[in-house]
Amino acid sequence: METPTLPSALNLFPVYQPIVDRDLSVIGYESFIRGNDAKQVLEGFNFPSMDKISQIVSMDTLCKQLALEQYTSDAPLFLNSHPYSVNPFPPSLPFPKQHDLVIEITEQAFLHDEPSLSNHVEQLIARGVRFAIDDFGYGHFSLPFLLNLQPTYIKLAKEIIHSCNNERSLDVLKRLTEPFREMGIQIIAEGIETEVQFEQMQSVADAFQGYWIAHPRRMAISNL
């Protein structure tokens, strides 16, 4: 069982950033980790080594636990999951009853241990957990990944949003994402930092997230 085994004295706390629809109504919150030790933790996540898999998984679980414990909204909570966490929601974590749960996964997770992850994903979907493909368009993508995950959401990487600065690029992005929307997958545009970007993405995305909308804050609230 994956359980947090790192020192409880670590200075870490969760913050939450709203995800909104076209009317700027909140449809969910994504959690992030902050605190004096957050930089060290995030560096370990971003530059992992195979000899530290157990420690990374424990830290990933701890971050999820903190996010769950301090979440007060009834809107869906979006939790990031590290690719090394083959069980993205281990039994040690309390299953939420007051809100829905969305787990964000990148394709790297399936590259690490596809059979184990697929098994856990199937079990979690049966319990009502939904999934989102994170940072879509920034790394590699495969059809088996999409089929295995059965995502409710696809989150466009902020690099994609920032590169769509003319009608031609927006049209290309719209054509690329249209098949997913026809499948019932909702498109979330991440990295919205200006009103112009928000307006540009109206024809592409169903929901939006970024500093222009709101910065991540401690304790989720019901309105912006």
Side-chain angles (χ1 to χ4, degrees), residues 11-29:
N11 183 272
L12 299 171
F13 59 85
V15 292
Y16 307 89
Q17 186 176 41
I19 301 168
V20 303
D21 61 17
R22 294 188 180 91
D23 298 322
L24 295 178
S25 298
V26 175
I27 66 166
Y29 289 88

Side-chain angles (χ1 to χ4, degrees), residues 30-97:
E30 179 180 354
S31 66
F32 301 90
I33 201 69
R34 295 290 188 270
N36 293 337
D37 297 311
K39 181 178 180 180
Q40 175 185 350
V41 170
L42 294 176
E43 286 178 349
F45 281 174
N46 294 331
F47 304 100
S49 58
M50 295 299 294
D51 62 324
K52 294 184 178 179
I53 289 181
S54 178
Q55 183 178 3
I56 291 172
V57 170
S58 293
M59 179 58 71
D60 186 45
T61 303
L62 177 61
C63 291
K64 292 170 183 172
Q65 179 179 316
L66 291 172
L68 288 162
E69 290 175 348
Q70 298 187 31
Y71 191 60
T72 60
S73 174
D74 58 1
L77 173 61
F78 286 66
L79 284 178
N80 290 285
S81 189
H82 194 278
Y84 286 174
S85 295
V86 294
N87 185 350
F89 199 84
S92 60
L93 294 176
F95 199 84
K97 298 179 180 180

